[in-house]
Amino acid sequence: MHLGHLIPFLFTKWLREVFDVPLIIQITDDEIHFWKDLSLEKVKEMAVENIKDIIAIGFHPEKTFIFRNLEYMGTMASEKDVLDTSTGKPLVAADQNGQNAVEDFVDPWNVHTSSMKGVDYDKLINKFGCSAIDDSLIERFKRVANVEEVHLFLRRGVFFSHRDLHVILDCVEKGQKFYLYTGRCPSSDSMHLGHLIPFLFTKQSIGFQETLARIKKQDTFHENRSHFGFSDSDCMAKLLFPYNQAVPSFSSAFPHIFKGKTDVPCLIPCGIDQDLYFRMARDVAPRIEFLKPSLMHSKLFPALQGANSKMSASDPNSAIFLTDTEKQIKKKINKYAYSGGRDTIEEHRERGGDCSVDIAFQYLTYFEENDEKLEKIRQSYSSGAMLSGKIKKILIEKLTRVVLDHQTRKKSITEDIVRGFMTPRQLVIDF
């Protein structure tokens, strides 16, 4: 996992603690098997390592359930399922001079923008048909959650849009419970285990399978292709995968957690690139008499090379990984982090740095918790008083602490702890 993968989990942890609700975390190991030329054994190794990273963030063991699709569903895929490694629609990339630029494009497999400032999220809100998280909604969130200040990801606009968040806030005001659902696809950047962890269960989850069947029955082949843009050359497993990701949106999938209740509202914090899956889930929900899941969308965490690209697990120089050493972090930031500084010191002193494109500053907006300190850095850098080398030094110190602290916590995650999080059980929540 890299730093960008942490964002939804850090925010989800805060939400779970504020509202004291159960959390479902789905590991979509079937997704990476279907889209990448990787063996099932390798996929499982990556999933286990990612699960340890997730647990190390500090989730409550009695209120969190983690599962892997390929194991929990009892539907181990065949190696023959992987017929191709295409990842979606081809896009025309912009060159360094901005030529051949196309409109911003975001889906679960492709992200493209020609601007060094990144995706235009206001336009994306209109394109996707979601709603902005504005000041009035944040103020209501504070009142309902009974907190003096919201998470920095909310107050700084990292989570910037939503679908039906007011439904969740209404539930809380009425004293009703909801649950959180998030997840991730295992990534190849992880340091793999030398052996495979023996999990406690291999049998099917009946609730999951029944919910999956109901969703599939309500969606047509035409709607599937319309939603996800699959072509005739895509393997059937790809066409079916989106339903697997939609299932945890409905409490009927987890009767052991929700005591058979099928009407528990769900809130999904996720990257905006994942919205497509849950648009489908929301479309299907009324047809099977389930509640539509609510969503909170985060902006895309930029690559070191700039906000016009997305962090990639396949490019070790595009990201700071949770396995990086102090030396690697320093080298990557100094060498690869796109700078908003000017060409010469004289020009920088005169015109100041551009915080809107400077990666060191952008990363600090995610990881520097002190608002006053961050604002002083912004003013100093944008005025020209602070040079690019200094702001990179500040980021190196901050991220080194974040990553090394995470590595220390992860070392304490044993096989028994992993099994505890992944055992189907009733969580310590009163429904």
Side-chain angles (χ1 to χ4, degrees):
M1 290 174 65
H2 57 59
L3 288 178
H5 294 144
L6 284 181
I7 304 308
F9 288 108
L10 292 173
F11 185 63
T12 300
K13 178 177 180 289
W14 180 79
L15 287 173
R16 204 224 61 74
E17 292 170 350
V18 166
F19 293 109
D20 190 25
V21 292
L23 168 62
I24 308 293
I25 299 177
Q26 179 188 45
I27 305 299
T28 57
D29 48 357
D30 50 346
E31 178 182 14
I32 195 169
H33 179 60
F34 299 150
W35 264 266
K36 302 289 185 181
D37 188 16
L38 295 173
S39 69
L40 288 170
E41 185 174 281
K42 180 59 70 175
V43 167
K44 184 173 182 179
E45 289 179 9
M46 292 191 295
V48 170
E49 200 66 27
N50 280 196
I51 289 167
K52 285 191 171 185
D53 279 319
I54 291 167
I55 294 173
I57 293 170
F59 290 106
H60 197 301
E62 296 182 340
K63 300 182 179 181
T64 305
F65 174 50
I66 303 174
F67 70 97
R68 295 193 308 114
N69 278 358
L70 289 177
E71 189 159 42
Y72 186 72
M73 295 166 57
T75 54
M76 295 299 285
S78 165
E79 297 287 353
K80 296 180 180 179
D81 284 338
V82 184
L83 301 181
D84 66 86
T85 57
S86 62
T87 56
K89 305 169 185 176
L91 295 172
V92 179
D95 59 28
Q96 292 181 346
N97 296 317
Q99 300 300 311
N100 299 321
V102 297
E103 183 182 0
D104 288 355
F105 183 91
V106 175
D107 74 6
W109 310 284
N110 298 292
V111 175
H112 172 76
T113 177
S114 59
S115 171
M116 290 305 298
K117 294 183 179 181
V119 171
D120 186 327
Y121 290 102
D122 290 333
K123 288 184 178 179
L124 206 61
I125 286 174
N126 292 329
K127 184 177 181 180
F128 282 13
C130 43
S131 302
I133 296 178
D134 56 20
D135 291 342
S136 63
L137 186 57
I138 291 177
E139 286 302 312
R140 186 188 178 202
F141 195 104
K142 288 166 65 175
R143 292 195 303 272
V144 173
N146 193 28
V147 294
E148 293 184 2
E149 189 57 86
V150 295
H151 194 280
L152 66 90
F153 290 167
L154 265 183
R155 64 179 187 263
R156 294 179 187 170
V158 173
F159 277 81
F160 70 101
S161 73
H162 72 98
R163 294 187 187 276
D164 289 346
L165 179 57
H166 63 279
V167 171
I168 299 298
L169 298 180
D170 289 345
C171 287
V172 177
E173 287 183 325
K174 295 174 183 177
Q176 300 172 349
K177 290 289 187 180
F178 68 96
Y179 72 100
L180 291 159
Y181 158 42
T182 192
R184 67 164 275 93
C185 175
S187 57
S188 57
D189 56 80
S190 298
M191 185 180 297
H192 303 306
L193 294 177
H195 61 280
L196 300 180
I197 291 179
F199 293 100
L200 284 179
F201 57 95
T202 56
K203 61 184 179 181
Q204 296 182 1
S205 164
I206 301 303
F208 196 101
Q209 293 288 357
E210 289 180 349
T211 304
L212 178 62
R214 294 183 68 180
I215 294 174
K216 287 179 179 178
K217 187 174 181 179
Q218 294 299 321
D219 202 34
T220 67
F221 180 71
H222 174 75
E223 288 174 316
N224 182 289
R225 291 188 62 168
S226 176
H227 274 123
F228 302 102
F230 294 128
S231 68
D232 292 339
S233 62
D234 285 308
C235 64
M236 284 301 298
K238 288 186 178 181
L239 275 68
L240 297 176
F241 166 74
Y243 304 115
N244 298 343
Q245 188 151 334
V247 170
S249 306
F250 307 112
S251 60
S252 60
F254 305 101
H256 59 281
I257 294 176
F258 301 110
K259 302 179 181 179
K261 293 182 180 291
T262 62
D263 59 351
V264 182
C266 176
L267 174 60
I268 306 170
C270 62
I272 187 63
D273 57 327
Q274 300 298 300
D275 181 73
L276 185 59
Y277 293 118
F278 304 113
R279 269 183 265 167
M280 180 269 291
R282 287 168 56 85
D283 286 346
V284 169
R287 305 178 207 168
I288 54 179
E289 300 181 341
F290 284 164
L291 299 176
K292 290 184 177 182
S294 300
L295 283 83
M296 297 181 73
H297 302 122
S298 70
K299 295 178 179 178
L300 302 170
F301 197 78
L304 285 169
Q305 287 79 2
N308 64 339
S309 56
K310 182 183 176 183
M311 272 191 167
S312 171
S314 60
D315 181 0
N317 293 323
S318 71
I320 303 297
F321 292 99
L322 297 179
T323 52
D324 282 348
T325 64
E326 183 175 358
K327 183 178 179 180
Q328 287 173 318
I329 294 170
K330 181 177 181 180
K331 179 181 178 180
K332 286 183 179 181
I333 293 173
N334 282 331
K335 186 174 182 179
Y336 298 108
Y338 186 85
S339 174
R342 307 302 174 178
D343 293 338
T344 65
I345 293 179
E346 291 75 15
E347 183 184 4
H348 186 89
R349 296 292 191 196
E350 179 182 349
R351 300 177 58 194
D354 186 353
C355 289
S356 68
V357 301
D358 190 273
I359 288 299
F361 182 78
Q362 294 300 314
Y363 279 22
L364 285 170
T365 65
Y366 287 86
F367 293 102
E368 176 49 65
E369 297 184 1
N370 189 304
D371 290 344
E372 292 184 3
K373 185 175 181 180
L374 182 67
E375 177 59 17
K376 287 180 180 179
I377 293 172
R378 187 196 67 78
Q379 291 180 5
S380 181
Y381 188 64
S382 59
S383 71
M386 179 184 292
L387 298 177
S388 296
K390 176 60 176 178
I391 196 170
K392 286 187 174 184
K393 184 175 185 293
I394 293 172
L395 179 66
I396 290 168
E397 293 173 352
K398 171 65 68 174
L399 294 190
T400 298
R401 289 196 296 272
V402 169
V403 173
L404 295 186
D405 287 349
H406 179 87
Q407 291 173 1
T408 299
R409 293 193 300 272
K410 185 178 178 180
K411 288 178 181 178
S412 66
I413 307 300
T414 65
E415 295 180 9
D416 285 342
I417 291 174
V418 173
R419 283 196 293 267
F421 273 90
M422 298 187 70
T423 300
R425 66 207 186 279
Q426 184 177 331
L427 301 181
V428 185
I429 298 288
D430 184 15
F431 277 93

